[in-house]
Amino acid sequence: MPSMKQVTFRDLWQRFAELVHENKSVLNDLDAAIGDADHGSNMDRGLEKAVEALNASPEGSLRADAKLIGMTLMSTVGGASGALWGSGMLKFAAALPDAPEVTWADFVNALGAFVEALSKRGQAVAGDKTMMDVFLPAMVEIQAQLSDEESLPASMVRLADQAKAWSDGTRDLVAKRGRAAYLGERSAGHIDPGSLSSAFWFEALAGAVGQQ
Ligand code: ADP
Ligand code: MG
């Protein structure tokens, strides 16, 4: 059974912060089309602070790291995505063992708690044109991977590619949740910004796991 070390977990968030930073204007532009043009700025601000907080925090517990990320995102991201990522990461933390290294199954279980928290808070289902259009199918895949023979790094690279495709797939959807839902049919034709930043999270995960 592979594990998730603290150094890998921190690397994941560092990579996620970098990807969001590099694509800040892409995310803002997507949000400009169907929202209020702040998704890239919101996530970039919060992730910069989260990485800063992680770097200043002593090592020893993945749960403590996840809690710190959740509290930082909750207080700095703002908007719908701040509440979702923030509260989701607090549930992720609560589901994780208080240890410097956890099993991959523990990590996947905590990700399940994250996705469940997002579903409860945001009430979005698959097809509503939100970040859940990436996280819901990704959760199914990552759980299936637990009993798969395929090597973890290879399956995470494949999952990252799928996440990007699921994000692209939000283009044709009509938004049912969040700010974009106010546009109704006019929301179709644009990729949901939160689905793209979520795909970056899976790209960061693949990168960090590949490095482990
Ligand atoms: P805001 O919409 O408050 O400006 P952001 O622009 O930072 O916040 O984030 C928008 C993203 O949040 C959307 O692209 C969508 O993916 C996600 N989102 C919004 N509402 C919900 C919801 N109810 N459930 C899940 N995700 C949502
Ligand atoms: Mg916005």
Side-chain angles (χ1 to χ4, degrees):
M1 168 66 69
S3 68
M4 165 69 70
K5 294 184 171 70
Q6 189 158 24
V7 59
T8 308
F9 189 67
R10 289 188 173 191
D11 186 30
L12 152 60
W13 285 90
Q14 172 79 47
R15 286 167 187 263
F16 182 37
E18 281 167 13
L19 280 167
V20 166
H21 186 71
E22 284 160 16
N23 291 281
K24 182 165 119 175
S25 54
V26 172
L27 294 168
N28 280 339
D29 289 350
L30 288 176
D31 198 26
I34 59 169
D36 57 355
D38 63 358
H39 185 62
S41 303
N42 285 345
M43 293 295 290
D44 182 47
R45 181 175 57 243
L47 288 167
E48 191 189 329
K49 291 282 173 216
V51 168
E52 246 176 56
L54 280 182
N55 288 339
S57 170
E59 291 187 17
S61 165
L62 266 151
R63 181 194 285 171
D65 277 6
K67 191 173 170 196
L68 187 58
I69 292 166
M71 290 190 316
T72 309
L73 296 182
M74 186 85 96
S75 62
T76 56
V77 174
S81 54
L84 290 165
W85 275 99
S87 61
M89 282 310 293
L90 293 179
K91 294 290 183 191
F92 180 103
L96 214 57
D98 194 12
E101 183 172 351
V102 302
T103 66
W104 181 251
D106 283 334
F107 177 77
V108 169
N109 180 54
L111 191 59
F114 172 87
V115 174
E116 196 185 314
L118 262 57
S119 294
K120 276 199 185 134
R121 181 174 274 256
Q123 299 283 309
V125 297
D128 282 355
K129 198 182 180 91
T130 70
M131 61 192 292
M132 301 312 282
D133 287 310
V134 167
F135 272 107
L136 289 171
M139 204 54 227
V140 173
E141 281 295 312
I142 209 166
Q143 263 156 356
Q145 185 276 333
L146 275 178
S147 55
D148 204 339
E149 293 295 304
E150 194 179 3
S151 84
L152 187 58
S155 61
M156 288 307 105
V157 167
R158 189 166 43 81
L159 181 59
D161 289 344
Q162 286 177 301
K164 186 66 186 16
W166 291 322
S167 170
D168 285 344
T170 64
R171 186 194 304 271
D172 301 329
L173 299 172
V174 172
K176 298 280 168 29
R177 294 281 170 190
R179 216 178 273 281
Y182 295 123
L183 289 182
E185 298 287 331
R186 278 182 295 137
S187 64
H190 308 278
I191 290 171
D192 174 61
S195 74
L196 181 58
S197 55
S198 300
F200 290 148
W201 190 84
F202 285 97
E203 188 179 335
L205 176 63
V209 165
Q211 192 65 40
Q212 181 168 288

